[in-house]
């Protein structure tokens, strides 16, 4: 019922920047939180950054100080500005959202994932 569409992934050299976007659509009463997680080959999926409806943010330790998460509630969109990228950032990045439905149920949705590759 809710779809998350990601864009902005790609190939970049170390030290470069990328901006990811994730737009949510569908039967959404309100957004509780949206954010980004990533998974590299052979590693567990880890938190990158999240932002709540109140504007509170949370960052993974490995990206703190380099990445910035933001939102546009009017567009149901969350962004991830990634600066000073490192090869260790190479991973599939997944958009995540927690949405309150019209039946007062909180549902968790994931995007299809977008590849971020940082070359040495």
């Amino acid at each position: 019922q809710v779809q998350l569409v990601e864009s902005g992934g790609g190939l970049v050299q170390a030290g470069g920047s990328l901006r990811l976007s994730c737009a949510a659509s569908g039967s959404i009463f309100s957004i509780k939180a949206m954010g980004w997680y990533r998974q590299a080959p052979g590693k567990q999926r880890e938190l990158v950054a999240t932002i709540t409806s109140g504007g509170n943010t949370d960052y993974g330790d490995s990206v703190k100080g380099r990445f910035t998460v933001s939102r546009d509630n009017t567009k149901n969109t969350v962004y991830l500005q990634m600066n000073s990228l490192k090869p260790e950032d190479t991973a599939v990045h997944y958009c995540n959202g927690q949405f309150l439905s019209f039946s007062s149920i909180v549902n968790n949705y994931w995007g299809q994932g977008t590849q971020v590759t940082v070359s040495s």
Side-chain angles (χ1 to χ4, degrees):
Q1 201 71 21
V2 176
Q3 297 80 42
L4 300 176
V5 180
E6 300 138 320
S7 62
L11 174 65
V12 66
Q13 292 186 352
S17 299
L18 285 173
R19 190 181 75 156
L20 305 183
S21 299
C22 175
S25 62
S27 299
I28 301 171
F29 180 75
S30 66
I31 300 174
K32 300 288 96 178
M34 293 184 70
W36 298 89
Y37 296 76
R38 69 186 186 186
Q39 187 165 23
K43 294 186 177 181
Q44 298 180 8
R45 185 172 298 188
E46 65 177 354
L47 166 72
V48 178
T50 59
I51 184 167
T52 69
S53 60
N56 296 320
T57 58
D58 190 25
Y59 294 93
D61 290 339
S62 63
V63 307
K64 196 170 299 182
R66 299 187 295 122
F67 293 5
T68 303
V69 64
S70 61
R71 63 186 176 130
D72 186 341
N73 286 340
T74 64
K75 299 179 180 179
N76 291 342
T77 299
V78 63
Y79 305 94
L80 182 68
Q81 180 66 45
M82 304 184 293
N83 297 326
S84 302
L85 283 163
K86 305 174 181 179
E88 304 90 87
D89 297 318
T90 296
V92 178
H93 287 65
Y94 297 93
C95 179
N96 174 264
Q98 295 179 359
F99 308 98
L100 184 65
S101 71
F102 289 96
S103 57
S104 301
I105 298 174
V106 177
N107 296 115
N108 202 34
Y109 290 88
W110 293 90
Q112 75 281 5
T114 183
Q115 176 70 231
V116 172
T117 303
V118 184
S119 64
S120 302

